């Protein structure tokens, strides 16, 4: 293993979540559920906001991958049905 092996794994993992972080960050920063002013301590607000963005992006990624898998299975079944009808 070369010296960049662990760095590549970390960056690859982070890269797989960037889209979901992008989708969820506005909810907790700018949206109606803004957590930046929940307490008087700005550091605690940032920690809570970061945690919620992280948790939400993980949940969204898991849900969307399951939906995409199911849609792929439906598409495969339809292609098989069409092939058998010919």
């Amino acid at each position: 293993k070369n010296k960049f092996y662990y760095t590549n794994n970390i960056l690859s993992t982070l890269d797989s979540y960037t889209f979901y972080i992008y989708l969820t960050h506005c909810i907790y920063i700018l949206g109606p559920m803004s957590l930046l002013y929940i307490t008087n301590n700005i550091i605690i607000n940032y920690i809570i906001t970061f945690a919620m963005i992280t948790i939400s992006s993980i949940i969204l990624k898991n849900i969307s991958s399951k939906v995409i898998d199911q849609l792929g299975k439906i598409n495969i079944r339809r292609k098989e049905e069409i092939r058998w009808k010919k």
Side-chain angles (χ1 to χ4, degrees), residues 13-64:
T13 303
L14 288 175
D15 184 48
S16 69
Y17 286 95
T18 54
F19 179 66
Y20 303 101
I21 291 170
Y22 170 74
L23 289 177
T24 59
H25 87 281
C26 278
I27 296 170
Y28 300 111
I29 293 176
L30 301 173
M33 295 174 54
S34 178
L35 299 174
L36 293 178
Y37 308 105
I38 198 167
T39 68
N40 291 331
N41 189 339
I42 194 71
I43 295 173
I44 292 175
N45 293 342
Y46 285 156
I47 292 170
I48 292 170
T49 304
F50 178 76
M52 290 303 294
I53 291 170
T54 304
I55 292 167
S56 297
S57 62
I58 291 169
I59 291 170
L60 182 61
K61 183 177 189 276
N62 289 335
I63 289 172
S64 66

Side-chain angles (χ1 to χ4, degrees), residues 75-86:
N75 191 25
I76 290 171
R77 278 191 235 128
R78 284 187 182 163
K79 285 181 180 179
E80 288 176 357
E81 288 174 3
I82 291 171
R83 186 176 52 159
W84 285 104
K85 288 181 181 179
K86 288 183 179 182

